[in-house]
Amino acid sequence: MGKNYFDLTGQVAVVTGCSTGLGVQMANALANNGANIVTLARRKNLIDEVAADLAEKYGVKAIGVACDITDTERVAAAVQEVMDTFGRIDILVNNAGTGAVAPAEDITDEQFANEMNIDLFGSFKMAREVAKKAMIPAGYGRIINIASMYGLVGNKIAPAAPYHAAKGGVVNLTRALACEWGDKGITVNSICPGYFETPLTKETLQSEFFQNYAKTMIPEGRYGQEGELDTAALFLASPASTYVNGCILPVDGGYTSL
């Protein structure tokens, strides 16, 4: 029988922002390949529902851990809870984020700071705690930071300077952590999704205006569908990606190649 390069049986994956959308999709992909899942987000009722669904569908262990990733003490407590439950964390998917959309001249200090605090600083806090408590002691880990194609380029459709800045920071934070932790058995990589349909984006992406925009600005002429991010996450999470470190992987239908 051929080798299953994406086999994650027995591993533990923490997925932040795992109450809806892309976080839930990636958690399903990881669980489908045998990983035990920690769904981590602020809304306890939603992450518990997701965890129960994953356990039922895939026969893995799954728990919901409520956490605000901007709160250092709560991050520490959440990671400790996972370690107390499973004794290990092999994979961290830093997916939690937000997005302020407004003309740059109207963006408030509070909006900009909130974006940086969640998307960039929150990702660092999770990576720092997981690396310190789990991955460095184990000599193994896979950290996947979910940035954005907007962390690589600007855009003309939706002004979002704080989001661009924060996700650009996530991209270079990925490189910095990859350099620091590479010799400790930890790889740190980033996925930069393009336009993907989620409950929050569905209405916009299905509009006639966006459909026309996509045909002009996205080489594939369409937005991403459910599941099209999963294999990128699986590859970077798997033991097979040992020599892939500091990679910035756009999954955007070719948007950033224009």
Side-chain angles (χ1 to χ4, degrees), residues 3-13 25-37 54 57-61 91 227 230-235 237-239:
K3 181 177 180 179
N4 177 4
Y5 288 98
F6 290 168
D7 183 17
L8 302 174
T9 301
Q11 295 198 27
V12 175
Q25 291 177 30
M26 289 185 285
N28 270 272
L30 296 172
N32 187 46
N33 284 268
N36 299 313
I37 306 294
L54 294 171
K57 283 196 296 189
Y58 305 109
V60 300
K61 296 177 182 178
I91 301 159
D230 294 353
T231 48
L234 280 173
F235 167 62
S238 77

Side-chain angles (χ1 to χ4, degrees), residues 25 28 31 33 35 56 65 74 76 79 84 103 105 109 115 124 134 140 164 168 181 183 190 193 202 234 241 256:
Q25 291 177 30
N28 270 272
N33 284 268
E56 181 180 353
V65 175
R74 292 181 68 179
V79 171
D84 290 343
E105 64 271 24
D109 291 354
E115 195 84 40
F124 174 71
Y140 179 88
H164 284 270
W181 294 338
D183 62 357
S190 181
K202 184 176 181 179
L234 280 173
S241 61
T256 52

Side-chain angles (χ1 to χ4, degrees), residues 14-214:
V14 175
V15 183
T16 73
C18 197
S19 55
T20 60
L22 295 180
V24 174
Q25 291 177 30
M26 289 185 285
N28 270 272
L30 296 172
N32 187 46
N33 284 268
N36 299 313
I37 306 294
V38 178
T39 60
L40 189 147
R42 291 177 298 175
R43 291 175 287 182
K44 181 66 171 168
N45 61 319
L46 293 182
I47 56 176
D48 283 347
E49 289 175 9
V50 174
D53 182 62
L54 294 171
E56 181 180 353
K57 283 196 296 189
Y58 305 109
V60 300
K61 296 177 182 178
I63 63 170
V65 175
C67 180
D68 179 348
I69 64 168
T70 67
D71 186 322
T72 302
E73 291 184 0
R74 292 181 68 179
V75 166
V79 171
Q80 189 59 54
E81 181 178 344
V82 178
M83 292 300 291
D84 290 343
T85 302
F86 291 105
R88 62 193 291 176
I89 299 172
D90 304 280
I91 301 159
L92 168 64
V93 181
N94 267 323
N95 171 69
T98 186
V101 177
E105 64 271 24
D106 296 328
I107 290 287
T108 66
D109 291 354
E110 290 74 21
Q111 285 176 306
F112 198 97
N114 185 59
E115 195 84 40
M116 300 297 283
N117 204 25
I118 296 173
D119 289 9
L120 180 55
F121 201 3
S123 294
F124 174 71
K125 288 179 179 183
M126 285 298 305
R128 176 180 62 189
E129 196 68 20
V130 168
K132 184 186 300 184
K133 284 186 176 174
M135 294 181 175
I136 292 175
Y140 179 88
R142 297 284 181 268
I143 297 176
I144 304 168
N145 294 323
I146 307 303
S148 169
M149 66 182 188
Y150 281 0
L152 302 173
V153 296
N155 90 92
K156 290 284 288 181
I157 189 173
Y163 185 77
H164 284 270
K167 292 301 189 181
V170 170
V171 165
N172 222 34
L173 174 65
T174 296
R175 296 188 181 107
L177 297 181
C179 291
E180 283 201 43
W181 294 338
D183 62 357
K184 296 175 172 59
I186 302 169
T187 63
V188 187
N189 295 290
S190 181
I191 298 175
C192 294
Y195 300 112
F196 272 85
E197 183 176 308
T198 70
L200 291 177
T201 64
K202 184 176 181 179
E203 183 177 353
T204 298
L205 297 188
Q206 290 184 353
S207 68
E208 182 179 357
F209 169 77
F210 185 85
Q211 296 292 322
N212 292 331
Y213 175 83

Side-chain angles (χ1 to χ4, degrees), residues 232-248:
L234 280 173
F235 167 62
L236 295 176
S238 77
S241 61
T242 303
Y243 208 55
V244 180
N245 195 24
C247 169
I248 310 302

